[in-house]
């Protein structure tokens, strides 16, 4: 706003004492002070209000005005209540430095002037930002992407002084301000996402206001065209989108905002949704690759055909990778108690989000995976860079326990007591022949997770390398996966080193774990036998002094 507009508002009670030629200056804010040196609190463009308590004698006016001018303030307004009138020495100092000076009638509170200026400046900024956002929206909907959500968040910060972030439904930061302020803590992101999902499931009207740690955050849903509810408040539609929608977090209390500002923020969410829809469209190729591989595996296609499709997928998912990767399979299912909502697509979107590295930021970091869905189930094909070192028993790739650690709280809130998310994770395989067994292993692991209590559960291949797999209902492919999990590292090592670990294992179990009887049977020194058994334990991660591990090896050998 212009200084001239202040004089046109009778309710402010302002009288111009000097600076008539400077009334076209812009006012960008307002500050009240009685400090002798307020420069540390000034950023330029302010209307400074003062009650003159800083003035002890006439010599104080000149340095005070000089400090204001050096800080770049727009004007000074002095109250008449303290001295009855504005002293002449202050009028002279302002005239000397070309600083506009107003007198404030003692009947007018500084708060009245402050409220008026803030309202006018904020309204003008909102109007300017609305025009920028509208122009940006037209550019993005008619041409290439305009820089993603970060561009919009920068506009909010620079034009409305609003710090804002875009979070995924699991609380992962997608975009945030680029200033030097610290990022939102991980725990706070998870809490905000959980509160947003809970409010959405409860049908509360947005924006959702969440006070945390002395700060109020306002949460706005970001819904793309493909995910917008068909009918407001419909439970079916809410459950189809609640676990996949992004949210805009604004560090402000929107409860006191005017409708114009709320409309502006909803416009911002629509702009961010354009980027979200583009990200989803870019996943089409990866989803199609996953669907093709899944169909080949489920229909019993020849390993050579599956391998050919994997060779096509590898450079798309891991560009520049020199060697063929290993693969893991992750299966997810979203289930509602009444079974009324479509779960396949939302499970697909949710699994794509869950598999993102929790330390990654931005909307494109989940492009290393391919997720298909069939019925109510989502299946992810996750590439892992191949390693050249020998098996050492250490775990690589995705671990089921860690997978849900950071997302359990928000997902539980989104499920709201009537839904479940269950996941199963296979071991890594390095060939097309092992992919069908990995799929069955992941599906069985998911069934193990589903048998556990809780709204969000996962189980991994480590929990399946046990005689539980010998139950009659377990598919043959999973039984093969069980034996391969325990014995393949030993077979591979024997093939490379002629170490006879498999015969040693058989003899050791047949000797009931007796070192002397086994060594005598194999015509070995006991120390050599101990070395071989130690290598078996190192390669498999098992302990042959434990009954459970002996039993698993015994069953695996009998089934192989």
């Amino acid at each position: 706003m212009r200084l001239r507009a202040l004089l046109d508002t009778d309710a402010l009670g302002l009288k111009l004492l000097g600076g008539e030629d400077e009334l076209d200056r812009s006012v960008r804010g307002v500050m009240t002070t009685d400090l002798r040196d307020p420069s540390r609190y000034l950023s330029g463009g302010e209307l400074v209000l003062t009650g003159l308590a800083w003035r002890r004698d006439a010599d104080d006016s000149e340095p005070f005005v000089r400090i204001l001018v050096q800080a770049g303030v727009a004007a000074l307004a002095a109250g008449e209540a303290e001295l009855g009138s504005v002293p002449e020495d202050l009028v002279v100092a302002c005239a000397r430095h070309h600083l506009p000076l107003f007198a404030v009638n003692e009947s007018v509170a500084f708060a009245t002037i402050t409220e008026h200026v803030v309202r006018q400046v904020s309204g003008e900024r909102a109007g300017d930002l609305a025009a920028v956002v509208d122009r940006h929206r037209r550019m993005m909907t008619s041409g290439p992407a305009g820089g993603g959500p970060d561009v919009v968040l920068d506009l909010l910060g620079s034009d409305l002084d609003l710090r804002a972030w875009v979070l995924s439904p699991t609380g992962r930061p997608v975009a945030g301000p680029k200033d030097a302020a610290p990022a939102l803590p991980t725990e706070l992101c998870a809490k905000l996402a959980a509160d947003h999902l809970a409010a959405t499931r409860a049908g509360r009207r947005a924006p959702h206001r969440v006070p945390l740690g002395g700060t109020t955050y306002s949460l706005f849903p970001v819904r793309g065209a493909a995910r917008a509810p068909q009918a407001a408040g419909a439970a079916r539609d809410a459950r189809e989108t609640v676990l996949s929608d992004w949210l805009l977090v604004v560090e402000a209390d929107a409860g006191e905002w005017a409708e114009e500002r709320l409309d502006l923020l909803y416009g911002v969410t629509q702009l961010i949704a354009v980027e979200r829809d583009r990200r989803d469209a870019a996943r089409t190729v990866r989803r199609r690759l996953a669907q093709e591989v899944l169909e080949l595996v489920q229909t019993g296609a020849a390993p050579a055909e599956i391998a050919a499709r994997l060779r096509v997928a590898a450079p798309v998912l891991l560009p520049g990778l020199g060697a063929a990767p290993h693969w893991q399979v992750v299966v997810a299912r979203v289930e509602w108690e009444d079974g009324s909502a479509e779960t396949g697509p939302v499970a697909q979107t949710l699994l794509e989000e869950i598999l993102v590295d929790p330390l990654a930021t931005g909307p494109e970091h989940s492009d290393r995976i391919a997720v298909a869905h069939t019925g109510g189930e989502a299946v992810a094909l996750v590439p892992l860079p191949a390693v050249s070192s020998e098996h050492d028993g250490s775990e690589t790739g995705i671990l089921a326990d860690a997978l849900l650690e950071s997302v359990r709280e928000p997902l539980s809130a989104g499920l709201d007591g009537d839904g479940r998310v269950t996941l199963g994770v296979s071991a890594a395989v390095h060939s097309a022949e092992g992919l069908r067994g990995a799929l069955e292993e992941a599906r069985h692991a998911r069934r193990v997770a589903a048998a556990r209590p809780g709204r969000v559960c996962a189980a991994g291949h480590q929990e399946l390398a046990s005689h539980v797999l010998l139950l009659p209902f377990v598919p043959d492919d999973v039984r093969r996966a069980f034996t391969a999990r325990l014995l393949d590292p030993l077979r591979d090592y024997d093939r490379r080193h002629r170490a006879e670990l498999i015969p040693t294992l058989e003899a050791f179990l047949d000797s009931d774990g007796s070192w002397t009887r086994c060594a005598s049977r194999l015509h070995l020194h006991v120390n050599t036998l101990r070395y071989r058994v130690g290598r078996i334990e190192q390669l498999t991660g098992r302990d042959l002094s434990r009954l459970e591990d002996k039993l698993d090896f015994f069953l695996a050998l009998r089934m192989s």
Side-chain angles (χ1 to χ4, degrees):
M1 66 176 300
R2 305 289 181 182
L3 287 174
R4 192 180 305 280
L6 296 174
L7 289 174
D8 296 336
T9 307
D10 296 336
L12 300 183
L14 296 179
K15 181 173 63 175
L16 183 65
L17 300 181
E20 185 175 358
D21 295 338
E22 306 292 337
L23 291 180
D24 285 329
R25 289 187 181 185
S26 295
V27 179
R28 296 196 294 272
V30 62
M31 177 193 175
T32 300
T33 184
D34 277 313
L35 296 174
R36 296 171 67 85
D37 181 4
S39 58
R40 73 185 70 179
Y41 304 109
L42 297 170
S43 58
E46 295 93 348
L47 170 67
V48 175
L49 304 174
T50 180
L52 300 175
W54 51 267
R55 183 183 179 276
R56 297 186 179 89
D57 55 47
D59 292 337
D60 291 336
S61 293
E62 172 67 23
F64 181 78
V65 172
R66 185 165 58 248
I67 289 171
L68 298 186
V69 171
Q70 290 173 350
V73 304
L76 175 65
E80 296 179 331
E82 182 74 17
L83 302 177
S85 63
V86 178
E88 185 63 22
D89 49 271
L90 182 59
V91 176
V92 171
C94 287
R96 181 181 299 117
H97 291 280
H98 304 286
L99 180 66
L101 175 64
F102 298 96
V104 182
N105 190 282
E106 63 181 18
S107 64
V108 178
F110 281 179
T112 301
I113 300 174
T114 299
E115 182 180 353
H116 176 82
V117 173
V118 170
R119 185 167 57 248
Q120 295 298 317
V121 171
S122 179
E124 291 177 2
R125 286 180 175 176
D128 293 343
L129 181 58
V132 173
V133 170
D134 184 64
R135 181 169 65 253
H136 198 64
R137 181 189 294 114
R138 291 196 301 269
M139 291 172 56
M140 291 176 63
T141 54
S142 61
D150 299 282
V151 174
V152 185
L153 300 186
D154 288 343
L155 289 173
L156 286 176
S158 62
D159 287 28
L160 282 186
D161 296 326
L162 292 176
R163 296 183 69 214
W165 299 262
V166 177
L167 302 182
S168 76
T170 62
R172 179 179 62 89
V174 175
K178 295 182 179 179
D179 57 23
L184 287 178
T186 301
E187 298 79 6
L188 179 58
C189 289
K191 175 63 175 172
L192 291 171
D195 286 354
H196 168 73
L197 293 177
T200 302
R201 286 300 314 277
R204 298 205 300 269
R205 182 178 179 181
H208 313 306
R209 297 154 57 205
V210 181
L212 289 174
T215 302
T216 297
Y217 299 90
S218 297
L219 313 180
F220 296 80
V222 177
R223 296 191 177 103
R227 295 174 301 280
Q230 299 291 325
R236 176 184 173 89
D237 295 326
R239 292 190 297 182
E240 288 178 358
T241 62
V242 66
L243 298 179
S244 58
D245 285 340
W246 285 352
L247 65 143
L248 174 66
V249 177
V250 181
E251 192 181 65
D253 188 347
E256 301 176 354
W257 286 1
E259 288 296 326
E260 292 78 9
R261 178 170 283 213
L262 285 173
D263 290 342
L264 173 61
L265 265 294
Y266 282 118
V268 168
T269 66
Q270 293 172 12
L271 192 57
I272 296 171
V274 173
E275 289 294 318
R276 172 67 189 272
D277 289 340
R278 284 186 170 163
R279 196 283 308 267
D280 285 349
R283 285 180 169 175
T284 302
V285 172
R286 292 182 294 280
R287 288 175 171 176
R288 186 172 65 247
L289 285 172
Q291 198 72 42
E292 291 174 353
V293 172
L294 178 61
E295 291 175 359
L296 289 173
V297 171
Q298 292 189 134
T299 56
E305 188 177 359
I306 299 175
R309 181 52 53 189
L310 290 177
R311 284 194 295 271
V312 172
V316 175
L317 300 175
L318 289 176
L321 189 67
H326 294 177
W327 301 93
Q328 270 185 293
V329 175
V330 182
V331 172
R333 185 178 288 270
V334 177
E335 297 173 295
W336 306 104
E337 289 184 356
D338 60 7
S340 62
E342 176 66 27
T343 59
V346 71
Q348 180 183 45
T349 304
L350 180 61
L351 188 53
E352 288 170 335
E353 172 58 38
I354 289 175
L355 290 173
V356 176
D357 182 348
L359 299 179
T361 59
E364 300 301 329
H365 288 267
S366 57
D367 293 350
R368 303 286 187 180
I369 58 173
V371 184
H373 74 84
T374 172
E377 180 183 74
V379 179
L381 188 65
V382 183
L384 305 172
V387 292
S388 58
S389 61
E390 297 175 357
H391 292 284
D392 60 2
S394 62
E395 298 293 345
T396 60
I398 297 170
L399 300 178
D401 290 340
L403 196 59
L404 296 181
E405 183 176 351
S406 62
V407 302
R408 193 180 305 274
E409 179 183 2
L411 289 184
S412 297
L415 296 167
D416 191 34
D418 69 342
R420 298 197 72 201
V421 172
T422 52
L423 295 96
V425 182
S426 79
V429 296
H430 56 82
S431 67
E433 289 87 347
L435 205 55
R436 185 176 181 185
L439 175 60
E440 293 299 333
E441 187 176 49
R443 282 175 167 163
H444 187 70
R446 193 207 62 78
R447 291 194 292 270
V448 170
R452 295 171 174 170
R455 293 291 171 186
V456 183
C457 298
H461 55 87
Q462 304 92 334
E463 300 168 74
L464 303 186
S466 171
H467 52 275
V468 68
L469 287 183
L470 301 181
L471 297 174
F473 68 88
V474 178
D476 290 340
D477 285 336
V478 182
R479 298 191 187 202
R480 286 194 291 271
F482 168 71
T483 59
R485 170 77 173 159
L486 287 174
L487 302 183
D488 276 0
L490 307 182
R491 289 168 176 151
D492 292 342
Y493 193 88
D494 282 347
R495 190 178 304 114
R496 291 192 300 271
H497 302 285
R498 298 181 181 179
E500 298 187 338
L501 294 184
I502 291 290
T504 300
L505 176 61
E506 291 176 328
F508 186 76
L509 295 175
D510 288 343
S511 301
D512 297 325
S514 169
W515 295 100
T516 54
R517 289 207 309 271
C518 183
S520 175
R521 177 176 175 176
L522 295 174
H523 306 290
L524 296 174
H525 192 278
V526 171
N527 288 342
T528 302
L529 175 61
R530 291 185 183 277
Y531 173 82
R532 289 187 183 180
V533 170
R535 176 62 69 179
I536 291 171
E537 293 174 336
Q538 181 185 23
L539 292 172
T540 61
R542 296 304 188 101
D543 183 354
L544 279 169
S545 67
R546 298 177 67 246
L547 176 62
E548 293 88 350
D549 288 343
K550 289 179 181 176
L551 176 60
D552 288 344
F553 278 122
F554 176 81
L555 294 171
L557 289 169
R558 290 299 179 270
M559 290 191 300
S560 63

